[in-house]
Amino acid sequence: MGGKQIRIGALISGGGTNLQAIIDACVQDKIDARIVFVGTDNPDAKGLARAQKANIPTFVTNYSSIIKEYGKNPDSAILPEGFELADIMQKQFLISQDTDPGKLKAFLETRAIAERRLLDAMKPYPFDLLVLAGFMRNLTPYFIDEINDEPGRYRIMNIHPALLPAFPGTDGYGDTLRYGCKVGGCTVHFIDYGEDSGPIIGQKSFPISDTDTKESVISKGLHLEWQLYPESIQKFAEGRLSVVEKNYDLGNGKSFSRKIVVCS
Ligand code: GRF
């Protein structure tokens, strides 16, 4: 690839096979990008070793210990400057607004404390795009707004193990198989304020037969993820992705609006 290289930050929680696919694509010059840091919420994330082997700086923001610490004395927790609970509560649609307000408050406050630490750890490494590569924590509007600081410019990508909008959540391949789907797939999308709900950049699919198991479905899906993520990053690097709002008149007085990705 011969274009200007973009700087990628990556967040992982586990094995990091997607991270490896992106590292390989960068090293083999298949995409116009380089990874400037790898962060994790999980001190035991196996993917950290992949980053270290590729000489990429790493850091850990230990979410579990932050959440535990908060639980000991929620009222004395020190919240990040500029964190407005009411504003974040109203923007987010990760969790139903009907949830017990105390639980919602604790969720958003613990995440904001952890997210502020993540942001501080990321600060030494300016980046153009943040990729979530098996990062198993939801991001709140507090974090998202710090990254997407220009209106309409989406800078956080995620890979999801299902053909969204079917099967959001943590076990996309398992949910697809258990439902009896005859096709499974993976999706790369931009992050918005909901869970796996942001504008879709790309998808790949594979057939599922009666003899497939969860393991074989995961294996088929991951092989496609390793192609789809670098391809999607390259489209971003080439400046080809834009998010536009589409409005559809459904007749009978109803309409449907959705922000979608257009690739030039
Ligand atoms: C992938 O299936 C990805 O779609 C999901 O988490 C898994 C991460 O795998 N978000 P790995 O850590 O990249 O191997």
Side-chain angles (χ1 to χ4, degrees):
M1 292 290 149
K4 188 176 166 284
Q5 278 192 342
I6 59 157
R7 300 159 302 181
I8 299 178
L11 296 178
I12 63 169
S13 297
T17 64
N18 277 286
L19 172 68
Q20 190 66 55
I22 300 167
I23 293 174
D24 293 346
C26 291
V27 171
Q28 294 161 14
D29 211 17
K30 288 188 179 151
I31 57 175
D32 295 315
R34 67 193 163 91
I35 303 181
V36 293
F37 69 79
V38 173
T40 184
D41 60 312
N42 170 16
D44 301 322
K46 299 264 185 299
L48 285 175
R50 298 178 187 273
Q52 283 148 7
K53 199 166 168 215
N55 290 319
I56 300 166
T58 60
F59 60 81
V60 178
T61 299
N62 192 330
Y63 269 57
S64 298
S65 61
I66 292 167
I67 294 165
K68 214 165 155 192
E69 205 50 43
Y70 175 96
K72 285 185 196 157
N73 200 346
D75 294 333
S76 65
I78 300 169
L79 298 168
E81 212 175 302
F83 171 80
E84 299 281 352
L85 181 64
D87 175 51
I88 303 296
M89 231 179 215
Q90 180 257 320
K91 276 182 181 166
Q92 68 87 30
F93 46 99
L94 290 166
I95 294 190
S96 156
Q97 301 284 352
D98 306 334
T99 307
D100 171 62
K103 280 197 182 136
L104 187 52
K105 176 174 181 285
F107 174 80
L108 293 172
E109 289 188 348
T110 50
R111 292 325 180 266
I113 294 168
E115 289 173 350
R116 181 68 258 163
R117 299 228 191 125
L118 262 186
L119 289 163
D120 290 344
M122 286 157 50
K123 222 177 225 157
Y125 314 107
F127 60 89
D128 303 295
L129 174 69
L130 181 65
V131 297
L132 310 180
F135 185 63
M136 302 307 281
R137 301 285 180 177
N138 287 130
L139 295 170
T140 76
Y142 172 73
F143 180 92
I144 295 167
D145 289 352
E146 291 276 328
I147 307 295
N148 293 339
D149 50 0
E150 270 178 50
R153 193 159 160 251
Y154 288 69
R155 293 209 298 144
I156 314 176
M157 265 187 204
N158 182 40
I159 188 148
H160 181 76
L163 291 171
L164 290 171
F167 311 122
T170 54
D171 190 16
Y173 291 135
D175 290 340
T176 302
L177 180 74
R178 285 187 290 271
Y179 199 86
C181 294
K182 307 306 176 205
V183 171
C186 51
T187 303
V188 170
H189 63 96
F190 284 122
I191 289 288
D192 69 1
Y193 296 150
E195 185 176 23
D196 304 320
S197 55
I200 292 173
I201 299 164
Q203 295 182 303
K204 285 192 189 288
S205 63
F206 56 86
I208 299 177
S209 70
D210 296 345
T211 55
D212 268 308
T213 60
K214 182 155 169 200
E215 288 65 37
S216 68
V217 167
I218 290 175
S219 168
K220 288 184 196 179
L222 276 175
H223 280 82
L224 294 179
E225 292 187 28
W226 304 331
Q227 297 168 24
L228 180 63
Y229 222 167
E231 281 172 20
S232 304
I233 292 169
Q234 181 59 16
K235 286 179 183 160
F236 182 95
E238 289 170 358
R240 292 167 57 200
L241 303 180
S242 46
V243 176
V244 297
E245 175 140 13
K246 295 269 192 181
N247 298 296
Y248 300 90
D249 184 355
L250 302 179
N252 60 24
K254 292 194 176 144
S255 64
F256 176 78
S257 294
R258 167 90 187 150
K259 289 201 174 83
I260 68 159
V261 173
V262 175
C263 181
S264 60

